[in-house]
Amino acid sequence: MTERISNRKNEILIEKLRIQGITDKTILNIMEKVPREIFVEKIFLQQAYENIALPIQCDQTMSQPYVVAYMISCLNLQKNDEVLEIGTGSGYQTAILSYLCKHVYTIERINKLLIQAKKNIEKLNIKNITYKLGNGMTECLEKEIFDGIIISAASSIIPKKLLKKLKKGKCLIMPKQYRFGSQKLII
């Protein structure tokens, strides 16, 4: 009974994303397949399928589904692509990315979040993810070049070091922090 209610709420969320302009059917189908309730704190289960950001552990937030879908769609991922994600969080976006590409390399700076994300993703039996604890804005990965880079946390600087890790013609997307707290997604 509860699973059927969650599925219906997820279907409603996906329809709202379509209305808001998310047109990539593959991304929408995957978002419908990935149960967001796995990635939210128990206290927020009733809101798991609302199109809102939700608090997670360590005073961090999980992006709203529209932002996740929009950012991922901007990467124009192909099945054989390898993606770098900075800011694993609870693992929701990581899981979605894993269904869209060959491999996801994800970096999280908070160990408690990284451990929880791994547990969340294990529930879905996903195997094409490499996890790393660290600051993805400053630390290097063993992998030299990526087909896309997605940064979840806002930054006031555009990380030139990461731009050098992109294949020619590929994208990095991130929320850029401006004065007085405003943010804007930039590609």
Side-chain angles (χ1 to χ4, degrees), residues 116-181:
Q116 188 59 52
K118 285 180 183 179
K119 288 178 186 176
N120 293 341
I121 291 169
E122 282 174 7
K123 294 173 187 173
L124 299 174
N125 199 31
I126 296 170
K127 305 291 185 199
N128 63 333
I129 300 171
T130 299
Y131 302 90
K132 182 174 181 174
L133 178 65
N135 183 337
M137 300 294 265
T138 59
E139 295 180 29
C140 289
L141 277 169
E142 297 74 38
K143 176 114 177 84
E144 285 300 314
I145 196 155
F146 297 94
D147 298 293
I149 299 175
I150 189 165
I151 301 174
S152 301
S155 174
S156 60
I157 59 160
I158 298 171
K160 293 190 182 356
K161 184 178 189 178
L162 289 176
L163 289 173
K164 292 177 183 174
K165 290 191 164 281
L166 271 175
K167 285 185 182 174
K168 189 174 182 165
K170 298 296 185 169
C171 295
L172 176 148
I173 186 164
M174 64 177 278
K176 185 163 186 320
Q177 181 83 40
Y178 293 93
R179 293 179 69 181
F180 309 114

Side-chain angles (χ1 to χ4, degrees), residues 17-184:
L17 296 178
R18 276 190 191 97
I19 291 167
Q20 287 185 290
I22 303 298
T23 58
D24 188 309
K25 291 177 183 172
T26 304
I27 291 173
L28 291 170
N29 289 340
I30 289 168
M31 288 183 79
E32 192 168 10
K33 184 164 97 170
V34 174
R36 193 170 187 235
E37 74 262 14
I38 289 175
F39 301 91
V40 303
E41 298 295 308
K42 287 182 184 178
I43 191 169
F44 298 109
L45 279 176
Q46 292 296 319
Q47 294 146 313
Y49 294 103
E50 291 180 27
N51 191 21
I52 57 174
L54 291 172
I56 57 174
Q57 297 178 33
C58 307
D59 293 323
Q60 301 297 305
T61 57
M62 174 185 200
S63 296
Q64 74 182 84
Y66 174 82
V67 172
V68 171
Y70 179 78
M71 288 178 73
I72 291 173
S73 70
C74 288
L75 294 178
N76 295 312
L77 295 175
Q78 304 299 311
K79 213 52 178 150
N80 286 323
D81 285 351
E82 295 182 309
V83 175
L84 173 61
E85 176 192 43
I86 297 177
T88 314
S90 67
Y92 177 65
Q93 180 173 268
T94 316
I96 293 167
L97 286 166
S98 76
Y99 287 105
L100 291 166
C101 62
K102 181 179 176 182
H103 202 87
V104 179
Y105 296 84
T106 187
I107 302 175
E108 175 56 56
R109 64 183 178 85
I110 302 170
N111 192 43
K112 185 174 183 178
L113 287 178
L114 190 63
I115 291 167
Q116 188 59 52
K118 285 180 183 179
K119 288 178 186 176
N120 293 341
I121 291 169
E122 282 174 7
K123 294 173 187 173
L124 299 174
N125 199 31
I126 296 170
K127 305 291 185 199
N128 63 333
I129 300 171
T130 299
Y131 302 90
K132 182 174 181 174
L133 178 65
N135 183 337
M137 300 294 265
T138 59
E139 295 180 29
C140 289
L141 277 169
E142 297 74 38
K143 176 114 177 84
E144 285 300 314
I145 196 155
F146 297 94
D147 298 293
I149 299 175
I150 189 165
I151 301 174
S152 301
S155 174
S156 60
I157 59 160
I158 298 171
K160 293 190 182 356
K161 184 178 189 178
L162 289 176
L163 289 173
K164 292 177 183 174
K165 290 191 164 281
L166 271 175
K167 285 185 182 174
K168 189 174 182 165
K170 298 296 185 169
C171 295
L172 176 148
I173 186 164
M174 64 177 278
K176 185 163 186 320
Q177 181 83 40
Y178 293 93
R179 293 179 69 181
F180 309 114
S182 65
Q183 295 180 15
K184 184 177 181 179

